[in-house]
Amino acid sequence: METGEALPIAELVDERRFLLDVAYWMLGGAGEAEGVVDETYRRWYGLSGPVRRRIVLPRSWLVRTAGGISLGRLTPPARTADEPSTAAGAGAGSAELTDPACHCLRARRSRHTSPEQYGAVARNVRQACLTQDTGLLASLLCPDATAFFDGGGKVRALVRPVHGGRQVAHSLLTLLVRRPRTTLTAQSVNGRTGLVARYEHQVAAVISLDIADHHITRVRAVLNPDKLRLWNQRPSPGVPSSRQGPAQRGDGWS
């Protein structure tokens, strides 16, 4: 697991916002700024894992890269032989979310889990994250649980799947550590109770859980801002959103 890239929700969101501000200040357009930031993260994920881990201040690297890309778009330079292509950076930046071919996990997921059980487990996960209780969270996970973090190459999230109950617990607690202006609710995610993390009232992560025999077999955390746009659209007055279920009582962080 690339623990060096495990970051709290607040830091992921603040970092991307700062890069957008830098690019917008230099180029003067929101669309152009989005393109610069996307290219910045593509170059970040175009680096090998060992190279990324050797960068002491990743945010400084990202800011310098965003600034360089912005300058290049103001005055396009000739492409050099050693300049990474956009296509190669885009390929490296896409998180692999392919499920492991594990028969035992598929068999367990096929067993029926009631909505009440999903709700109870999700609320217990929320409580473990609220108190940063590694033992409690690990006890809710199967020993061979797997977690996938879908950042889409647009935030500095974990790229590879995380395997093992303890490892999954560590990555989730890091992602969902309690910070100011951050809330975590247990609510409907794709028709089952999951977790929704918000930073400054904007949805920053949607987490779904696969549960069998009262334990979590698989976690999927969507962090890609493009995929979260529907969650951040305000529903029309009197029309409930089809994606956002009602929050459970008492589920917000203060």
Side-chain angles (χ1 to χ4, degrees):
M1 182 176 74
E2 297 182 66
T3 54
E5 289 188 54
L7 295 174
I9 287 288
E11 291 185 30
L12 293 176
V13 176
D14 276 342
E15 179 179 274
R16 183 173 175 86
R17 286 179 180 175
F18 185 74
L19 294 175
L20 286 168
D21 287 343
V22 169
Y24 183 84
W25 178 78
M26 296 183 71
L27 298 176
E32 292 88 343
E34 286 277 358
V36 166
V37 173
D38 288 350
E39 174 62 19
T40 299
Y41 281 111
R42 279 194 287 268
R43 294 189 185 185
W44 170 260
Y45 285 110
L47 303 173
S48 66
V51 170
R52 288 200 303 270
R53 287 191 288 271
R54 286 199 296 270
I55 297 175
V56 179
L57 298 173
R59 182 175 290 201
S60 296
W61 186 97
L62 292 166
V63 170
R64 288 195 303 271
T65 301
I69 295 170
S70 298
L71 285 174
R73 295 193 178 188
L74 289 170
T75 307
R79 180 177 290 277
T80 60
D82 59 349
E83 183 180 352
S85 68
T86 299
S94 300
E96 285 293 334
L97 293 181
T98 304
D99 291 338
C102 179
H103 175 74
C104 62
L105 280 181
R106 287 200 304 269
R108 283 196 305 224
R109 285 198 294 267
S110 66
R111 299 177 189 173
H112 176 70
T113 302
S114 69
E116 292 77 16
Q117 289 172 325
Y118 267 98
V121 172
R123 287 189 291 273
N124 285 333
V125 171
R126 179 201 166 270
Q127 179 63 25
C129 293
L130 175 65
T131 58
Q132 289 290 289
D133 191 333
T134 304
L136 173 59
L137 186 54
S139 72
L140 299 170
L141 293 154
C142 290
D144 56 353
T146 301
F148 302 90
F149 297 87
D150 178 8
K154 294 176 179 283
V155 293
R156 197 154 48 93
L158 292 168
V159 176
R160 296 186 178 89
V162 179
H163 302 288
R166 281 279 170 182
Q167 291 80 1
V168 171
H170 173 76
S171 61
L172 276 178
L173 289 177
T174 300
L175 180 71
L176 301 175
V177 64
R178 188 177 185 180
R179 291 289 173 87
R181 304 186 301 281
T182 303
T183 61
L184 183 67
T185 57
Q187 65 184 75
S188 178
V189 176
N190 296 326
R192 300 184 300 196
T193 305
L195 297 170
V196 177
R198 291 177 174 83
Y199 179 63
E200 295 182 341
H201 307 295
Q202 291 291 305
V203 174
V206 174
I207 300 169
S208 60
L209 309 170
D210 281 352
I211 300 171
D213 298 330
H214 306 283
H215 287 83
I216 300 165
T217 60
R218 185 176 63 176
V219 176
R220 281 183 177 271
V222 177
L223 304 162
N224 184 340
D226 290 346
K227 294 184 178 180
L228 295 175
R229 281 176 181 161
L230 283 177
W231 282 84
N232 284 309
Q233 289 177 353
R234 294 181 180 275
S236 301
V239 180
S241 168
S242 61
R243 297 291 299 276
Q244 294 175 258
Q248 304 293 323
R249 285 187 62 187
D251 279 331
W253 280 352
S254 59

